[in-house]
Amino acid sequence: PPPPTLPPPPPPPPPSPPLPPPPPPEFLDPCLSYGRRCRLKYEDGFESGYLDEAKWNIEVRNDGIRGDGDEEQFYVRDGVEVSGGKVHLKLYYDSSRTSAQRARCNADELRYSTEPAGRSICERSAARHPTGFFSGRINTKDKVEVLHGVVEARVKLADRNDYSWSAFWALGTQVGSRGWPFCGESEITEMWTTSTQWSKWKDGVGDAMRPAFTLHSYHSVPGDFAAARANKQAWVSYNEGAYADGTYDPHGYNDYRWVKMPNKIAWFVNERPVAEAWNGGGQVRMRIHNGRWWGGEFGDGLWAPFDDPRNPMFLIFNLAFGSGVSLGGAKDINRFRKNGELDRASMEYVRVWEVAS
């Protein structure tokens, strides 16, 4: 008899579906390496052509941050521009001072602290004659704040004249009640551009064209915060250092990451760890990986403002000009009194991650 007919072999199994592509880096949770899960609280790529004022405040004020007249710029709305997928802070000189004529101070509405003398920021602003130098300053107060999480941003700091001072930084919300330095402050990045020795800080001298980071706190808790603000320099601890050469481009965009976890803060530039601070028994302790510090107060002060749930921090991006404190000597700004743009600082994106409760 003929051999039996064998059944045909089964068809091969269908190919496995391809694995999905990995998520883009911007959606990777940066908190995982710290044993935490974060949610993306806010992201801005500045592609709309205008600043999202649901997230940002544009400051209008004519006063220097270190007392009346220390800085030359008048912060105005005209100093903020969104174009080309970036937000730009523009420093410019205008002899007609038209920007000042249509500016109304709003710093008191943002609930910054009243100075011990009793004059509000807007009262000081109104009493100061415009110098003709104008610039931009934006912040996220009462809109985007973070107690614990991660801030990522791609920033180009101002670099075109001797007296620019641009910064991207975080300030505690209790600035309106306790004042500085009791609210806590941390520069994510800042840079001075003077070609001479620029700083006369208490215990050290930094370098121009070198981005820096800071963690400002205070040495002890005052019994009366209002009285302490009258002599705030006697209370502050500075904790200042600089990013290392080769880790950044002083004339270009750099990617910064600032990590704020319970009992720890860390700084990164272009994916390189730069420095970290931690709570050492209630005191600030610090270590540098890619950078250097200056000042005898490095790793000093109380940790309290950085983990206080009543004091989340908001972000500030600003471009100042002509600070006598940072220059450490007489100012020669008359050579910049020419109508037009003098400098700019720019941000390409910002992301704020918040630790999930």
Side-chain angles (χ1 to χ4, degrees):
T5 303
L6 296 177
S16 300
L19 294 175
E26 60 264 31
F27 293 108
L28 295 177
D29 186 341
C31 302
L32 293 177
S33 59
Y34 295 89
R36 304 272 177 168
R37 294 300 300 269
C38 280
R39 66 180 183 90
L40 186 60
K41 182 176 184 177
Y42 171 60
E43 181 178 21
D44 200 338
F46 307 108
E47 296 173 348
S48 63
Y50 60 89
L51 191 68
D52 181 2
E53 294 189 52
K55 304 297 184 184
W56 293 95
N57 303 299
I58 300 177
E59 295 191 35
V60 180
R61 54 190 290 188
N62 183 27
D63 71 312
I65 63 170
R66 286 184 169 82
D68 299 325
D70 174 62
E71 297 170 354
E72 300 294 330
Q73 79 285 341
F74 191 148
Y75 288 123
V76 291
R77 295 185 68 89
D78 293 343
V80 181
E81 173 190 289
V82 176
S83 62
K86 303 176 181 67
V87 59
H88 306 283
L89 307 180
K90 301 183 298 179
L91 170 66
Y92 62 96
Y93 182 73
D94 177 11
S95 59
S96 71
R97 294 164 173 77
T98 55
S99 294
Q101 294 166 11
R102 58 175 178 264
R104 184 183 69 84
C105 177
N106 65 359
D108 294 345
E109 300 167 19
L110 299 176
R111 296 185 291 115
Y112 280 100
S113 60
T114 299
E115 291 300 304
R119 290 195 304 165
S120 72
I121 290 176
C122 286
E123 288 172 332
R124 297 203 316 268
S125 177
R128 184 185 182 203
H129 184 70
T131 63
F133 295 99
F134 298 91
S135 187
R137 174 169 163 145
I138 59 178
N139 74 64
T140 65
K141 191 173 189 295
D142 299 325
K143 297 179 177 180
V144 179
E145 298 168 349
V146 60
L147 176 63
H148 297 124
V150 176
V151 176
E152 300 173 311
R154 184 168 174 79
V155 176
K156 181 184 182 300
L157 298 171
D159 66 341
R160 283 164 35 194
N161 74 69
D162 281 358
Y163 293 167
S164 291
W165 181 2
S166 55
F168 178 49
W169 49 298
L171 190 65
T173 53
Q174 287 187 330
V175 65
S177 56
R178 292 189 171 187
W180 184 92
F182 310 105
C183 61
E185 174 189 341
S186 179
E187 264 68 26
I188 300 170
T189 182
E190 66 178 336
M191 189 167 74
W192 297 260
T193 57
T194 179
S195 58
T196 60
Q197 176 178 310
W198 57 259
S199 179
K200 294 291 184 182
W201 300 130
K202 182 177 178 181
D203 293 305
V205 175
D207 297 330
M209 299 304 297
R210 183 192 294 269
F213 59 90
T214 75
L215 194 68
H216 296 326
S217 183
Y218 52 99
H219 296 293
S220 59
V221 180
D224 184 337
F225 283 97
R229 287 203 302 269
N231 190 24
K232 54 191 176 185
Q233 295 297 334
W235 295 84
V236 65
S237 58
Y238 284 102
N239 299 308
E240 298 178 327
Y243 291 90
D245 291 340
T247 63
Y248 63 88
D249 178 359
H251 300 287
Y253 284 89
N254 295 282
D255 294 294
Y256 296 95
R257 181 185 301 139
W258 182 70
V259 179
K260 187 173 185 287
M261 293 291 163
N263 298 312
K264 183 172 183 176
I265 294 175
W267 293 259
F268 296 79
V269 62
N270 301 321
E271 299 299 329
R272 299 187 184 188
V274 174
E276 58 184 327
W278 65 93
N279 181 357
Q283 298 289 318
V284 172
R285 296 292 179 259
M286 297 190 75
R287 177 188 302 117
I288 284 186
H289 304 289
N290 284 294
R292 67 183 185 85
W293 64 273
W294 56 79
E297 294 177 335
F298 191 80
D300 189 34
L302 297 180
W303 185 265
F306 305 112
D307 278 341
D308 188 339
R310 302 164 299 175
N311 188 48
M313 305 188 86
F314 63 98
L315 303 175
I316 302 174
F317 186 37
N318 74 290
L319 170 52
F321 175 71
S323 168
V325 173
S326 62
L327 291 168
K331 292 186 282 190
D332 176 21
I333 63 171
N334 287 331
R335 56 197 170 101
F336 296 109
R337 296 188 186 276
K338 299 177 182 178
N339 288 334
E341 185 174 310
L342 301 172
D343 212 338
R344 65 170 52 195
S346 304
M347 181 183 294
E348 188 171 311
Y349 69 82
V350 60
R351 289 188 289 267
V352 180
W353 299 79
E354 184 176 60
V355 170
S357 58

